[in-house]
Amino acid sequence: MTSVVSLRVFANSASVPTVVLVDMQQEYLAAPRMLAIPDIDLALANCERVLLHCRKVGLPVAFMRSLGESAFFNRASPFGRWIEGFEPQRNEMIFERSNPSCYSSELFTSMMSQSPGGFVLAGFAGESACLSTLVDAYHRKHKATFLHDASASHALDEVPAAEVHRAVSKICGLYGEVYETTNWIASTLPRKLGQGNKTGG
């Protein structure tokens, strides 16, 4: 069911969510490196749609990135850099973490503890960073939404990546709301703010 709310009311409300884009970094595109995600194009395109929408209507955006000193996401490596087109703007937040969950960033945890509107999550990888963040949000009683088609997962042993991601999206529905990108964008248009159609939960 979709409710109609004025943009002014939404913009002044404590219920405004922060849109969090996780690990929009070159490591996930750098095939044949181990962490590269096959068939990532659709998820990336939906992440781009989410980002452009947020910038158009003025929703707050945060970028979470993984940086460390290992062979992956190394600070000195080009693979730790932002994917082209996903470079944060000056009015957007950047958080860093060394463990899968976004809550391993103390600054992110502090911000979410003071943000009753919660967050909307998109990015990579579904089976690790996204799932663990949704679980942590649930235990903290934070409102969380996962855009399942603006994310993708790795294969796990003999289970193909697409099957893993379908399962992850269902599991995420136990810990937060799961939306398709198109429905979520429609629910946050200036003259049509409210709840879109959920899937996956």
Side-chain angles (χ1 to χ4, degrees):
M1 183 175 186
T2 301
S3 59
V4 179
V5 184
S6 72
L7 182 59
R8 182 176 298 277
V9 170
F10 182 76
N12 293 333
S13 172
S15 65
V16 174
T18 298
V19 176
V20 181
L21 291 166
V22 183
D23 292 353
M24 309 305 297
Q25 294 169 266
Q26 293 286 344
E27 193 70 68
Y28 285 123
L29 300 182
R33 286 172 65 86
M34 186 181 296
L35 294 184
I37 297 178
D39 302 319
I40 197 175
D41 291 350
L42 178 58
L44 269 181
N46 282 328
C47 286
E48 182 180 27
R49 291 174 61 206
V50 169
L51 181 58
L52 293 175
H53 171 68
C54 291
R55 288 172 174 172
K56 180 178 180 180
V57 303
L59 289 174
V61 175
F63 288 83
M64 177 64 71
R65 63 182 172 185
S66 179
L67 288 176
E69 298 178 358
S70 71
F72 300 101
F73 296 105
N74 191 289
R75 293 179 181 274
S77 165
F79 305 115
R81 297 175 186 168
W82 301 112
I83 294 172
E84 185 177 354
F86 290 95
E87 299 85 356
Q89 296 183 350
R90 293 180 63 183
N91 63 338
E92 295 166 345
M93 297 168 279
I94 301 174
F95 297 98
E96 295 182 2
R97 75 195 196 294
S98 56
N99 290 315
S101 174
C102 292
Y103 284 91
S104 63
S105 164
E106 292 183 7
L107 289 176
F108 177 86
T109 300
S110 177
M111 186 185 77
M112 285 300 109
S113 296
Q114 301 176 54
S115 301
F119 62 89
V120 177
L121 194 67
F124 311 105
E127 85 287 356
S128 54
C130 296
L131 178 57
S132 60
T133 298
L134 266 289
V135 172
D136 277 350
Y138 176 84
H139 288 296
R140 290 170 169 82
K141 295 181 170 55
H142 293 170
K143 184 178 180 180
T145 297
F146 177 52
L147 303 182
H148 73 95
D149 58 347
S151 179
S153 299
H154 294 99
L156 296 175
D157 296 326
E158 73 281 0
V159 183
E163 291 185 22
V164 170
H165 195 68
R166 279 194 293 271
V168 165
S169 298
K170 291 291 185 181
I171 295 169
C172 283
L174 299 175
Y175 300 104
E177 296 185 323
V178 179
Y179 278 70
E180 291 183 355
T181 298
T182 296
N183 292 336
W184 179 79
I185 288 176
S187 76
T188 56
L189 290 171
R191 296 186 180 180
K192 196 175 182 182
L193 296 168
Q195 295 185 2
N197 298 321
K198 295 188 293 182
T199 63

